[in-house]
Every structure is written in structure tokens, then in C-alpha cells.
Amino acid sequence: MKARILYTKPSVTELEVGYATDATRNGWGERCYDYIHRFEAQFREHLGVRHAIATSSATGALHMGMAALGIGPGDEVILADTNWIASAAPIVHLGATPVFVDILADSWCLDPALVERAITPRTKAILAVHLYGNLCEMDALRAIGTAHGLPVIEDAAEALGSVWHGRRAGSMGAFGAFSFHGTKTLTTGEGGMFVTNDDALFDTVNTLSNHGRARGQARQFWPDMVGYKYKMSNVQAAIGCGQMERIGELVARKRAIFHRYRALLAGCDGIALNPEPAGCENGAWMPTAVFAPATGVTREALQAAFAAENIDARVFFHPLSSLPVLGGHAGQPLAAGIAARAINLPSYHDMTDEEQQRVAAVLRGMRHG
Ligand SMILES: *Cc1c(COP(=O)(O)O)cnc(C)c1O
């Protein structure tokens, strides 16, 4: 059996270990927020936003942000059918209804024309998820949002390092959410970030994130609203501080792996990788190969071929509307069609060129039966 190729694995150096050790030894009492504040400041600066709140997950950041926007029972939030359930779960938890629209054939992100058609009097927000690092059509979505008075939320959990015409993913909407789960480009084990340029929204989420205790509240143990507990710990933030010092390197490596796959598959008809349109940079969190219908290649055939080579490749997200827990429908046509002939490729920081060649060889081999 050939050596196993993992699909993700974090890159953690002595820098992160040093900070985490310091936080573990000394980051208590008066210093229990030091790394958290430092991590938030690094993130604000990197993204170019006014406010950042470190959270225990991206799901928590989305949940609090949507709650602060007033999303609740009877409301609808529009998002792409192709997504991980973490983007939809907070909508359901708030008593609102996720409305799934189909994706664009090239970016695999929500189709703005279908978003506009899905708007009803109950629509409360548009959730733009930058899938696998690919960017949503932010100009079109923001124009629709402005025309209908709807906030555009960015789930940038997969889009650290992605840039839309000079602006970083997550910095363009009413608020943005990031994930630092162990599979993501930057990791703190588990963790996330809420970001916004809206002072009032920041104040509300800040209060919600602290068990409902407002910043200016002088009375002890006196919540101003019923909040949440989605805070990041100082030890996790210490790891994040080290990762942020290496953010350029972490993103550059993801992009290099992605571009290497593009080179290895150049001239190979019938395989589309993540797009990188003019004016955009793809943070390339998850290089993904989609086979053209004419190739006849299926997800099941891809899974079998990669398993035979001991390579950990993962399936493309199932349409959320096809999950029994979210309706169990057929799924939107493109969301279902693309998922049936696509695969996520390994892309961890320390992967070797020889490993990338093994992955590319499997993809090329699919096309000759
Ligand atoms: C990973 C991910 C999440 C969830 O992140 P957690 O930190 O695990 O909550 C949400 N949305 C997208 C698009 C993701 O990829």
C-alpha cells in the first residue's frame, strides 16, 4: 500500500507552541485576555475592518451576528444549496427558514439572479458563503441587498486569503464569519471570528457574546439581554497569534498547491478546478475538481479510485435541501449535478510535489476509464 495522503493537516511551528505555552503558564488573572485582544487586533488589521470578536467557532459567530440583525421566527435567509450545514444551522436555531437557491456553474457559489427571484416579504438577509475559497458575486449581491434593503452576510470560513477586487473576503458585508477549525487554512483547534464595520452591530454582538452583559454596564452579574457563550479561550488565541504572524505564508502555500494542481492538469479536458477570475485572488482553501458531464466520471468512481491509491479525497458538499433534516428534496439542479461528479483534493501545507503528482495522476487516469 502506498503511503497515505491526508487531505488537510494544520501547519503548527515552535512559534505557536511558544505562545500557547506562555498562555498556559502565565495567561491567567489580569492577563487572561491578552492573547485574545492581540489576536483580534491582528485579524482586524489583516482584514481591514473596524471590529473583530474572537469566538469558539464560525457557527457561533454566524449565530450571534444573525441574532443581532434581528433574524427570528417567520423570517427567511437566502443561501446557496451547496453548503456545509454549519451555515444553515444558526438560521434554523433562530427559528427562521433557510431558502436554498442554485449555484453558478463556475464558482459553485449562489446565483445572484436566483437570489433576487427568491426574495419574499419575509426575507431578512442574504448569506453569501465563499465556497472552498471561491468568491461570491459580491457586487451583484450587494446591489440586490441595497435595492431590497437586505443585509448581505459573508460566511468567509473557507475564504481567508481570498480577495475580491482589492477587498478581502469577509470585510464587505454587514458582517463576516471565519472558522479556525483544524481543517481550515489558519487554525486554533476550534475557533472563529466575527468581523464588522458596523459599530452598532459590533456593540450588540459584543454584548451577546458576553452572556448579554453590555460593555458599559457597571452593575456586576447584571445581563442586559439573554446572550450566548461563544467566546474563544486565551490559550486558543495564543495559537492564533502565532498563526496570524504566518498568515502570508499559510495562504501563499495554499495558493501554490492550487496553482500546482492547475499546472499538473493543464490540457486535461473535462476537468474544472476552482476559478480565479480577473481581479480576484482565490485563497484556495480547498482545491476541488469537477468533471464535465461528458466524461461520465462519477463521485463514486472518484472515491473508489482515490481510495485505491490511499489518498484521502472528500466528496463535494451535498445540496443542503437534499438532506432529510433540511427537507429531503431533490436538490437544486446544478448543486446536485456538480456534487455527483466532483471531488475535494488534498491540500495540506506540508504536502510534497510527489504527493500532488500522485493526486493528479488519479484525476488524469479517470478520463481513460
Ligand atoms: C468550517 C465552516 C463553518 C463552520 O466552522 P466552525 O468553526 O466549525 O463552526 C461554517 N461555514 C463554512 C462555509 C465552513 O467551511
Side-chain angles (χ1 to χ4, degrees):
M1 195 65 149
K2 288 182 186 161
R4 182 102 173 129
I5 300 180
L6 300 170
Y7 101 120
T8 65
K9 190 170 76 174
S11 167
V12 176
T13 65
E14 285 306 311
L15 184 65
E16 291 88 339
V17 172
Y19 288 158
T21 305
D22 177 54
T24 309
R25 284 222 177 86
N26 308 309
W28 310 105
E30 301 272 272
R31 297 186 50 193
C32 73
Y33 298 119
D34 285 7
Y35 280 108
I36 296 172
H37 292 151
R38 184 163 143 193
F39 184 39
E40 289 170 342
Q42 285 171 301
F43 209 83
R44 278 198 304 272
E45 190 180 329
H46 172 77
L47 221 63
V49 291
R50 288 171 61 80
H51 307 288
I53 300 173
T55 59
S56 52
S57 68
T59 310
L62 286 168
H63 196 175
M64 290 193 293
M66 289 185 194
L69 287 175
I71 293 167
D75 295 334
E76 295 173 351
V77 177
I78 300 169
L79 72 162
D81 204 11
T82 297
N83 263 311
W84 176 226
I85 196 167
S87 304
I91 302 169
V92 175
H93 290 317
L94 288 167
T97 304
V99 175
F100 302 110
V101 298
D102 211 352
I103 54 176
L104 293 168
D106 54 354
S107 70
W108 321 322
C109 293
L110 77 184
D111 181 338
L114 297 180
V115 169
E116 187 142 40
R117 259 194 263 161
I119 293 172
T120 74
R122 292 168 174 247
T123 306
K124 211 56 191 281
I126 299 164
L127 177 57
V129 185
H130 302 296
L131 196 84
Y132 301 142
N134 306 350
L135 287 144
C136 297
E137 294 289 333
M138 288 307 291
D139 291 346
L141 293 175
R142 281 188 302 177
I144 293 167
T146 303
H148 295 269
L150 296 171
V152 177
I153 301 165
E154 285 182 277
D155 180 343
E158 305 181 357
L160 200 59
S162 293
V163 183
W164 171 262
H165 300 281
R167 297 185 67 181
R168 291 194 177 280
S171 71
M172 297 173 275
F175 73 84
F178 289 85
S179 173
F180 311 128
H181 179 258
T183 56
K184 300 288 160 65
T185 299
L186 184 155
T187 190
T188 58
E190 294 280 359
M193 194 72 81
F194 168 91
V195 301
T196 186
N197 286 311
D198 182 327
D199 297 343
L201 196 65
F202 165 70
D203 270 335
T204 307
V205 172
N206 203 39
T207 301
L208 284 174
S209 76
N210 195 19
H211 274 318
R213 291 175 292 189
R215 261 194 304 180
Q217 179 55 259
R219 290 171 84 174
Q220 287 187 331
F221 299 129
W222 200 262
D224 300 276
M225 51 174 93
V226 177
Y228 298 91
K229 191 65 194 301
Y230 287 137
K231 290 166 84 79
M232 177 181 278
S233 76
N234 200 49
V235 176
Q236 288 170 298
I239 299 171
C241 287
Q243 293 266 288
M244 277 310 288
E245 288 182 30
R246 300 178 53 225
I247 181 86
E249 174 204 343
L250 294 174
V251 171
R253 182 67 190 127
K254 278 284 188 185
R255 286 175 50 72
I257 290 169
F258 167 55
H259 287 128
R260 180 64 178 143
Y261 276 132
R262 286 229 296 215
L264 287 168
L265 296 167
C268 207
D269 290 346
I271 303 178
L273 298 182
N274 311 51
E276 194 167 44
C280 295
E281 272 174 49
N282 194 317
W285 170 63
M286 184 65 71
T288 296
V290 177
F291 281 74
T295 61
V297 173
T298 64
R299 160 181 55 208
E300 289 71 24
L302 286 160
Q303 285 185 278
F306 279 107
E309 288 295 313
N310 204 18
I311 296 169
D312 186 11
R314 301 282 172 102
V315 300
F316 198 90
F317 290 133
H318 307 285
L320 289 180
S321 67
S322 75
L323 301 178
V325 290
L326 289 175
H329 306 296
Q332 298 291 330
L334 274 177
I338 290 174
R341 46 189 164 80
I343 198 89
N344 295 153
L345 309 178
S347 64
Y348 68 96
H349 187 89
D350 293 323
M351 116 178 262
T352 65
D353 194 63
E354 189 213 329
E355 288 175 323
Q356 283 206 260
Q357 291 184 35
R358 273 177 59 195
V359 173
V362 174
L363 292 172
R364 276 198 304 268
M366 299 303 298
R367 303 199 49 260
H368 313 114

